[in-house]
Amino acid sequence: LGALKLPEALPDGADDALTYITISGTTDAAALSLAIPYFITAYPNRADGYTNRAITLHVPAGRYADAEADFATALERSRQEGSPVGPDWVHSQWCQAIFQKAQTVSDSIYGAWNLQRAQQEAAQAYAIKPMPFYLLQQGRCYYRMRQFAPARDTFIRLATQPDSVGGEWSAVARAESWFFAARSQEMLADDSLRVIALIDSAIQASPRPYNEQGKQYFIERASRLFAAGQYRAAISDYNTYESLIGPSRLSSRFYYIREQAYLEIHAFQQALDDINSAISKAPQEPLYQLEAIIIYLRAGELPDAESKARQFVQTFPDIAEGYKLLGLALGNQGKKKEAVQALQKAMEMGDSTAGEYISRYK
């Protein structure tokens, strides 16, 4: 009987029938295409039957005008006395369908369904019932429309909304709202300190112990602090992130970035420790080994710089920068002839900056 694909009767009762439809949607698309029209015939006054048909059948097939008609009918049914869903819910579902379409399908196809329309549907939902999720939908629409100032303001409004307004808003969601506000502010590209302050709020709002998202806020703030030249504060956040995540889960890239921050404050030993951690995680990456030579040069550890540079050019003979750094290590020790030879080799391999140093050692 299963192979014959005979349609099954819907369970008695609208709620059980709706549960059956929900389950069918994950297991049998053919059954779903029959079940939803049966549901609408059996329960013509249920708004969720029409929203189901719009979202599940019409939108995937690109029948946006049919979906529009179904949402309009659902809105009308939701206003009837005894409706299990209200008009706010229908507007929110409508927003979600339009938002998904606008992200994946050009506005040249059924242009009435665009991001501005999605935002308007979410705004109508919120005007009827001030649920936090409806504000979130508006913020997402503004962000996708690149209207970053109203997106930021909406996310801040969402983050600061009292729990008593429209139901509970979880600490995790509140923290995410602060972070979305930070991202929106960042896209305005006019106030890096305010971006950092908004991420501060995301961290403060995150529940303890930190979940995976809460941990990520530290690395996000660290990168902004680094870009703003606040290297010590950035290092503090990198250290917190390392303690939360654990060194075994961190990539070589993490240690390279923190090494750069240590180098900016001339903490050479910590920088060397981090770059060695990066090398241990990615021994075939030449960038990290070059960085170790640079640390030795900047710290004035010239014999170590020379030794590391010689090892480098043996391992990576085709990378010109290795010869340039070797030349600098030799030249700064007074080994001028060898320095010039190494720098000339770097020039021959295409490093145009090596020539600037040759005249120093001739």
Side-chain angles (χ1 to χ4, degrees):
L1 290 175
L4 292 173
K5 303 293 183 184
L6 295 176
E8 300 176 18
L10 290 177
D12 293 334
D15 291 338
D16 287 343
L18 201 59
T19 300
Y20 168 83
I21 288 172
T22 301
I23 295 172
S24 296
T26 64
T27 59
D28 191 340
L32 188 66
S33 66
L34 297 172
I36 291 178
Y38 288 162
F39 181 90
I40 292 174
T41 300
Y43 306 101
N45 292 322
R46 293 272 303 213
D48 39 12
Y50 299 96
T51 58
N52 258 318
R53 183 167 66 183
I55 294 169
T56 309
L57 301 183
H58 292 326
V59 171
R63 298 191 296 266
Y64 301 113
D66 291 338
E68 176 87 3
D70 267 352
F71 276 117
T73 302
L75 190 60
E76 179 187 343
R77 298 293 192 272
S78 70
R79 296 192 179 107
Q80 295 179 0
E81 186 176 353
S83 173
V85 297
D88 60 298
W89 182 85
V90 175
H91 281 298
S92 176
Q93 294 289 300
W94 211 337
C95 164
Q96 193 68 15
I98 295 171
F99 185 82
Q100 294 297 331
K101 179 266 178 186
Q103 289 191 102
T104 57
V105 180
S106 169
D107 283 354
S108 62
I109 298 174
Y110 203 69
W113 274 26
N114 53 39
L115 288 167
Q116 183 177 3
R117 171 71 184 285
Q119 185 275 324
Q120 292 168 354
E121 292 297 334
Q124 290 185 72
Y126 188 79
I128 296 167
K129 191 173 183 178
M131 295 288 288
F133 180 69
Y134 303 156
L135 267 185
L136 177 61
Q137 287 183 306
Q138 291 182 66
R140 287 173 172 169
C141 290
Y142 283 131
Y143 191 91
R144 292 292 298 182
M145 287 189 287
R146 303 187 67 79
Q147 296 181 19
F148 299 118
R152 174 203 59 205
D153 295 343
T154 301
F155 288 130
I156 291 175
R157 183 181 172 192
L158 178 58
T160 56
Q161 188 176 41
D163 286 340
S164 59
V165 179
E168 292 292 324
W169 191 234
S170 75
V172 171
R174 195 178 298 280
E176 288 181 349
S177 300
W178 281 117
F179 185 67
F180 292 152
R183 292 294 300 272
S184 301
Q185 179 68 43
E186 191 167 41
M187 295 302 291
L188 293 169
D190 64 349
D191 191 347
S192 61
L193 294 181
R194 190 174 184 193
V195 173
I196 293 168
L198 289 167
I199 302 178
D200 290 345
S201 296
I203 291 173
Q204 292 167 12
S206 295
R208 274 67 162 179
Y210 294 107
N211 62 9
E212 289 302 310
Q213 186 59 54
K215 296 171 186 177
Q216 288 299 314
Y217 297 145
F218 286 96
I219 200 75
E220 295 286 353
R221 186 172 65 180
S223 68
R224 274 72 173 187
L225 288 166
F226 186 104
Q230 299 184 34
Y231 302 114
R232 294 184 186 277
I235 288 167
S236 177
D237 272 355
Y238 286 131
N239 292 344
T240 300
Y241 183 73
E242 181 184 39
S243 67
L244 291 170
I245 295 294
S248 64
R249 293 178 58 194
L250 293 172
S251 68
S252 59
R253 180 73 180 171
F254 170 85
Y255 288 103
Y256 169 70
I257 293 171
R258 191 172 67 177
E259 172 265 336
Q260 295 281 291
Y262 277 127
L263 206 53
E264 291 289 346
I265 63 171
H266 299 158
F268 297 120
Q269 186 57 57
Q270 292 92 329
L272 187 60
D273 290 343
D274 269 357
I275 207 63
N276 284 334
S277 294
I279 291 170
S280 69
K281 288 176 176 286
Q284 299 306 313
E285 174 52 63
L287 171 65
Y288 304 148
Q289 299 189 39
L290 287 170
E291 195 68 18
I293 303 168
I294 291 171
I295 294 170
Y296 282 124
L297 284 171
R298 291 189 59 178
E301 301 291 341
L302 300 178
D304 287 330
E306 178 188 346
S307 175
K308 286 289 183 182
R310 289 190 184 281
Q311 290 176 26
F312 183 88
V313 297
Q314 289 178 358
T315 307
F316 302 101
D318 297 327
I319 297 179
E321 190 172 357
Y323 294 96
K324 181 174 73 175
L325 294 178
L326 175 59
L328 294 177
L330 290 166
N332 288 338
Q333 293 179 84
K335 302 176 182 180
K336 297 182 179 181
K337 183 177 180 180
E338 290 179 88
V340 169
Q341 291 175 346
L343 291 167
Q344 287 177 335
K345 176 70 172 176
M347 282 191 65
E348 292 169 5
M349 297 178 67
D351 191 323
S352 58
T353 63
E356 300 172 12
Y357 301 100
I358 292 178
S359 58
R360 298 184 187 181
Y361 305 130
K362 277 189 174 179

